[in-house]
Amino acid sequence: MPSPTRDAFPATFFQPSPLGIDLQAPPTPRTQRTLRKLQSAHNLGAASKIVSSSSIVLTQQKLRDVHSRDISPTRRQALNRSPQRHRANSDASGSANLPNLRAASSSTSLHAKRAALGRSSSAAEALSLDRLIRDGPPDDDVSSALANVRFKVLDQGIKSDIDGMSSSRIYIWLILLDAPVLTTDDYLKLVHRGASPAYSKIRNDTFRTLTTDPLFRRRVSEASLIRLLNAIAWILHDFKEVRRPSSSRQSLPASNSASPARSDTSQAIASSPAARSRARALTLTTEGSDANAAEPGTYVQGMNVLAAPFLYAARSEAEAFVAFHQLLTKECPGYIRGAMDGVHRGLALVDKVLGIVDTKLSLYLTSKGLSAEIYAFPSVLTLCACTPPLPEVLRLWDFLLAYGPHLNILCIVAQLIMMRNELLNSSSPNKLLRSFPTLHADQIKAHALAIIKMIPNEVYEEIVNHAL
């Protein structure tokens, strides 16, 4: 599902600059590829596949009706418009820009800002998030219902207990990720294939996953994590075989096992060859891969941590699997492709954004030889899932999956801003950055929303596209 534009955020969530800097909404990018990524949340794309057997959120019939409609002239005009705005004052000093973030994060509560929006014309506005998910869109207004789901996630959050458990979170995530239908039998067929070529690499990672988090260790077993990652590795492996030239495929020995039935998870998998001989199963690496858009991904170290929140939030491994697969292949394929070029582009953007919003802190870290490549690699790759506590990770992910995982770059910068005084007063800031302080999702979101208004258009476009 395409990530929303900056215009999708309600205007009252952004606070005016106390310094008088003109921070307006950016123009819509004009390139066709960026338009597809930045287009409004009203375009449901392939959302006709979003169905849960146990909790039908948006019925298939209603979604098919949406697919059959043309984009309205009003929406088409909104996609093509390019409003002008002044560039953000990226040359301002870090100490001057910092009050913008502080004011946005502490002046008013999200609920107060929400009240200022006035009444919505959509019937979905009157429904609670749980009821909207359970009953589906009122009056068949799927587009408005989806927009309201995003806003309610941002404004009210997803109800959960003290451990972060929620009966609706996984279904909301599946909707926001535009995840296709996957039966448990299809998932089991992948599991029953046995060890994938990446199996040894997976076993080297899983026992270290969130070892200090008792909530995760109590709810998710290592065996469950191994099964999910191994199934993902099989799909990535199969797709890689599909992309391999036919001459290269013929040179490999045939598999001793029959090819399993395929699911709707990936159309490419339907034409994949039989599984290769386990005797030739070697750990997949990213070395020597071609980091272009056509190159499929492979299993990389760190995917175990990225999968952990899905297994914790889901009610079954199959739900966690399809959500995780959708995140990897649709939202951030660049993180597992080539030499993880998407991650490295994200790290460069952390440095760039920090230099814009807090020049003083950026220069100080640079003077100490600290770039994002050194301290932020795990946070970029795992969408901050590497930083405890897990319930706060889930709340932050609610925001990221609602408005785009690319916003994780801004969330990392927000955490640096929140550590600003400690970093500037430390002669060895590298010690503080070895492990980030515990997450506070609401504060991070508030800072990230302020940062969105402070960065130039072209930088925001880079953030949106860096993981593709």
Side-chain angles (χ1 to χ4, degrees):
M1 184 179 301
S3 298
T5 65
R6 276 195 278 194
D7 294 336
F9 291 99
T12 52
F13 274 84
F14 301 113
Q15 293 299 302
S17 169
L19 303 179
I21 301 174
D22 188 8
L23 301 176
Q24 303 175 14
T28 302
R30 294 180 178 85
T31 64
Q32 188 66 25
R33 178 186 179 193
T34 309
L35 271 177
R36 288 197 300 270
K37 183 66 180 174
L38 287 175
Q39 63 185 334
S40 166
H42 298 298
N43 180 15
L44 296 183
S48 59
K49 299 178 182 178
I50 306 176
V51 172
S52 169
S53 59
S54 59
S55 178
I56 299 178
V57 183
L58 304 173
T59 65
Q60 288 182 328
Q61 183 59 48
K62 294 175 181 178
L63 292 172
R64 282 196 293 268
D65 291 342
V66 171
H67 280 297
S68 64
R69 303 168 189 163
D70 292 330
I71 297 177
S72 67
T74 302
R75 177 171 137 62
R76 184 177 292 106
Q77 181 180 5
L79 286 176
N80 293 329
R81 71 176 184 269
S82 297
Q84 298 299 317
R85 77 169 179 92
H86 299 293
R87 292 167 57 91
N89 187 5
S90 57
D91 295 329
S93 67
S95 58
N97 279 330
L98 188 60
N100 295 349
L101 304 179
R102 296 279 168 83
S105 61
S106 61
S107 59
T108 57
S109 69
L110 293 180
H111 293 288
K113 296 171 185 175
R114 176 67 188 90
L117 289 177
R119 297 182 62 182
S120 170
S121 59
S122 170
E125 174 66 18
L127 301 180
S128 67
L129 182 58
D130 286 342
R131 183 176 175 185
L132 188 58
I133 296 302
R134 183 182 69 248
D135 298 341
D139 303 325
D140 293 340
D141 189 357
V142 181
S143 298
S144 180
L146 182 56
N148 271 280
V149 166
R150 282 195 167 101
F151 181 80
K152 290 177 188 294
V153 169
L154 176 63
D155 182 19
Q156 306 166 8
I158 299 176
K159 294 181 180 179
S160 57
D161 61 22
I162 192 173
D163 292 339
M165 298 307 301
S166 168
S167 60
S168 60
R169 172 171 278 124
I170 186 59
Y171 302 115
I172 296 173
W173 284 7
L174 289 169
I175 293 169
L176 296 173
L177 286 168
D178 194 14
V181 177
L182 178 75
T183 66
T184 302
D185 287 343
D186 288 328
Y187 173 69
L188 290 177
K189 289 172 184 176
L190 290 169
V191 173
H192 291 160
R193 292 175 69 177
S196 71
Y199 183 73
S200 62
K201 197 172 188 179
I202 291 170
R203 291 303 304 269
N204 286 334
D205 290 344
T206 52
F207 73 93
R208 296 177 292 192
T209 305
L210 305 186
T211 54
T212 60
D213 195 309
L215 295 177
F216 178 78
R217 305 302 293 183
R218 185 173 66 218
R219 177 171 173 81
V220 181
S221 68
E222 183 182 0
S224 178
L225 185 59
I226 290 172
R227 285 192 295 269
L228 183 143
L229 293 175
N230 197 62
I232 287 289
W234 269 125
I235 284 189
L236 297 178
H237 171 76
D238 288 348
F239 188 62
K240 200 175 186 68
E241 290 299 306
V242 170
R243 305 291 301 187
R244 187 191 299 272
S246 57
S247 58
S248 299
R249 292 201 300 267
Q250 292 172 358
S251 64
L252 295 176
S255 171
N256 293 328
S257 60
S259 176
R262 302 300 187 231
S263 69
D264 292 335
T265 306
S266 174
Q267 292 297 329
I269 300 176
S271 59
S272 64
R276 302 304 172 189
S277 174
R278 293 184 187 177
R280 290 182 55 87
L282 300 174
T283 299
L284 292 176
T285 67
T286 59
E287 298 177 358
S289 298
D290 182 12
N292 56 42
E295 176 68 19
T298 59
Y299 179 86
V300 297
Q301 188 176 21
M303 281 172 57
N304 55 313
V305 178
L306 195 58
F310 289 112
L311 280 171
Y312 186 83
R315 293 188 168 190
S316 70
E317 287 181 27
E319 288 176 342
F321 169 82
V322 70
F324 184 43
H325 176 268
Q326 195 76 352
L327 176 73
L328 291 178
T329 59
K330 302 300 181 183
E331 296 292 342
C332 49
Y335 283 11
I336 60 170
R337 186 177 60 232
M340 294 189 287
D341 287 350
V343 177
H344 294 290
R345 286 193 295 268
L347 292 167
L349 285 167
V350 170
D351 288 328
K352 180 181 289 188
V353 173
L354 182 62
I356 293 171
V357 302
D358 195 337
T359 305
K360 182 177 180 179
L361 178 58
S362 176
L363 292 175
Y364 182 70
L365 295 180
T366 300
S367 70
K368 297 296 184 178
L370 293 174
S371 66
E373 287 274 356
I374 296 176
Y375 60 81
F377 190 95
S379 295
V380 172
L381 175 61
T382 67
L383 304 183
C384 291
C386 59
T387 306
L390 187 52
E392 291 296 308
V393 171
L394 300 179
R395 296 179 66 187
L396 184 62
W397 273 35
D398 294 340
F399 168 66
L400 294 179
L401 297 184
Y403 288 93
H406 55 272
L407 293 178
N408 180 54
I409 301 301
L410 304 185
C411 291
I412 294 171
V413 176
Q415 292 174 76
L416 296 173
I417 297 296
M418 293 165 65
M419 301 170 60
R420 184 176 193 271
N421 291 337
E422 292 83 355
L423 291 171
L424 290 177
N425 293 328
S426 174
S427 58
S428 300
N430 59 307
K431 295 181 180 179
L432 297 175
L433 292 173
R434 287 175 183 171
S435 60
F436 280 29
T438 55
L439 290 180
H440 296 281
D442 287 341
Q443 295 181 33
I444 293 172
K445 288 186 292 185
H447 282 291
L449 289 171
I451 293 171
I452 289 176
K453 300 293 288 185
M454 300 175 67
I455 57 179
N457 300 339
E458 59 272 17
V459 175
Y460 186 79
E461 293 176 34
E462 289 182 55
I463 292 172
V464 169
N465 293 300
H466 81 278
L468 298 179

